[in-house]
Amino acid sequence: FRDRRSSVFAEASWAGRLGPGELVAGVSYQRDKFDQLDLSGFDYAHSVPAVFGQLAYPISDVARATLSARCERHNVYGGFCTPHASLLLRPSPWVTARMTASAGYAAPSVLSGTAEVIGLQAFVPTAMNAERLQHGGLELTWIRDRLRMKAQATFTRITRAVQVVPVPDDPAGRLRLVNAVNPTRVFAGDLEARYQAGLVGLRAWYSYGYGHEDVPGDTGRRVVGWLPRHALGAAISLDDLVPGSFAELRTRYAGLQYVWDDPFRTKTPGYFLTDGTVSARAGRARLYLSGENLFDVRLRDYEVVVLPTSGLGGQRTATQWLPARGRVISFGATVEW
């Protein structure tokens, strides 16, 4: 199906000082237009003028606050003001703490992830409301000599999240996008450690994610899908082993996650993926060699990729919880002159 998409964006800002603080203010305008040439009911033209401002102010020698806000007027979904506040604390030369709170919105679009995969012919045009988001987070960083450690926790609440549901009693099995009745809530946490010993760098990380959402088109709640409950990884790097060179080997593990459109399973097994990168300078050029998924882990090793029968809206493949393609080796170069 043929379509045309266009986007225009312009912004003007001013930066200055307000006593010891730093002030930024400005205006912006964005216009996004979508024309579906073969299907009716999906065209849109979104115009969004906005004003914004930010003030970063040192409260004391160890504390700095940043306040910002953006007010927009969407020609379809109305007006929104989205505030953001953060407090940065440095109680010692080695410890930093940052607390953040923000709110935002997202204008829904027919160009959702599912529609891009299946095609708009599987959807019935419907009116939707804008999604609203509230977010809070805490980040702690500790740096001592060659060791850097960071811990982060975030909580996100999405009101009127857009979901894909079947059209009731539709003989063609088409879908529509609707707003969920109850909020989607997601909690996430991250731990990361970095150590640099001369040319060798070591990095390890762990993340946790868990959330609940409405069951699309039904009552009740379910675990948010395609979000690994536990994930971890490690990397080792060599910098300037040969002057101007860099090499890194990374491996990561993704644990259990729920997949809701897979006819073979609702919970996935854990899996490892390994990547590597090498770059070196040669005269005016920098050469790159990278390898993704070096051990060739593929979705087809766990299940059939093409569904035995069509899924929602005629979908022929389940959402990928593993790479569909295997090992990928890439080579490139940048040249300066």
Side-chain angles (χ1 to χ4, degrees):
F1 294 92
R2 301 168 302 153
D3 61 57
R4 292 195 183 103
R5 310 181 195 188
S6 62
S7 181
V8 175
F9 178 79
E11 179 181 286
S13 62
W14 171 88
R17 302 198 67 86
L18 183 65
E22 301 170 359
L23 180 64
V24 177
V27 297
S28 69
Y29 176 79
Q30 181 167 344
R31 178 177 173 84
D32 295 305
K33 195 170 189 298
F34 175 74
D35 294 316
Q36 173 52 248
L37 305 180
D38 299 316
L39 302 170
S40 61
F42 295 103
D43 298 353
Y44 65 80
H46 292 168
S47 298
V48 188
V51 296
F52 60 89
Q54 175 178 292
L55 175 63
Y57 200 87
I59 300 174
S60 67
D61 293 338
V62 298
R64 182 181 179 86
T66 301
L67 302 174
S68 64
R70 184 182 186 89
C71 291
E72 302 182 346
R73 180 66 184 180
H74 199 288
N75 66 318
V76 176
Y77 298 104
F80 298 91
C81 286
T82 55
H84 176 86
S86 69
L87 179 63
L88 178 66
L89 302 174
R90 288 193 176 94
S92 77
W94 309 285
V95 179
T96 301
R98 185 189 301 272
M99 294 168 281
T100 60
S102 61
Y105 86 101
S109 169
V110 294
L111 304 178
S112 68
T114 303
E116 289 277 57
V117 172
I118 302 176
L120 288 178
Q121 77 283 351
F123 284 79
V124 173
T126 53
M128 294 173 284
N129 293 313
E131 298 176 310
R132 299 301 301 265
L133 177 145
Q134 298 84 39
H135 176 83
L138 172 64
E139 179 184 294
L140 299 173
T141 304
W142 180 80
I143 302 175
R144 195 64 182 263
D145 298 328
R146 301 174 178 176
L147 181 63
R148 174 190 176 98
M149 302 188 69
K150 183 173 72 172
Q152 181 177 353
T154 61
F155 176 77
T156 304
R157 181 179 186 266
I158 304 173
T159 307
R160 299 198 296 258
V162 174
Q163 297 181 316
V164 178
V165 301
V167 176
D169 303 320
D170 184 62
R174 291 177 297 176
L175 309 171
R176 60 176 179 162
L177 298 173
V178 300
N179 296 101
V181 175
N182 299 299
T184 297
R185 299 180 177 90
V186 178
F187 171 80
D190 298 278
L191 296 172
E192 183 184 53
R194 293 173 179 264
Y195 184 79
Q196 189 70 36
L199 305 179
V200 180
L202 301 174
R203 180 164 60 100
W205 65 91
Y206 165 79
S207 64
Y208 172 87
Y210 184 75
H212 272 93
E213 64 183 1
D214 279 357
V215 177
D218 204 343
T219 59
R221 303 278 285 174
R222 72 181 188 185
V223 176
V224 171
W226 302 280
L227 176 67
R229 184 74 56 86
H230 304 280
L232 52 90
I236 181 171
S237 61
L238 291 173
D239 199 1
D240 275 338
L241 182 62
V242 175
S245 68
F246 174 79
E248 184 179 61
L249 183 67
R250 305 175 298 278
T251 187
R252 60 191 188 278
Y253 170 82
L256 177 148
Q257 55 186 310
Y258 288 83
V259 287
W260 297 118
D261 66 351
D262 193 318
F264 307 104
R265 66 184 80 241
T266 57
K267 300 178 182 179
T268 69
Y271 61 89
F272 284 91
L273 293 176
T274 302
D275 307 318
T277 303
V278 177
S279 71
R281 179 165 291 281
R284 293 180 176 271
R286 175 168 286 277
L287 308 178
Y288 299 90
L289 178 65
S290 67
E292 300 176 41
N293 193 4
L294 293 175
F295 292 100
D296 205 27
V297 180
R298 307 189 192 195
L299 182 61
R300 72 180 188 186
D301 296 331
Y302 290 81
E303 60 187 46
V304 177
V305 175
V306 180
L307 299 179
T309 58
S310 298
L312 293 176
Q315 184 171 354
R316 297 305 311 276
T317 60
T319 300
Q320 296 176 26
W321 54 272
L322 258 179
R325 66 179 186 177
R327 184 186 302 111
V328 178
I329 306 298
S330 304
F331 177 77
T334 60
V335 181
E336 300 174 354
W337 66 86

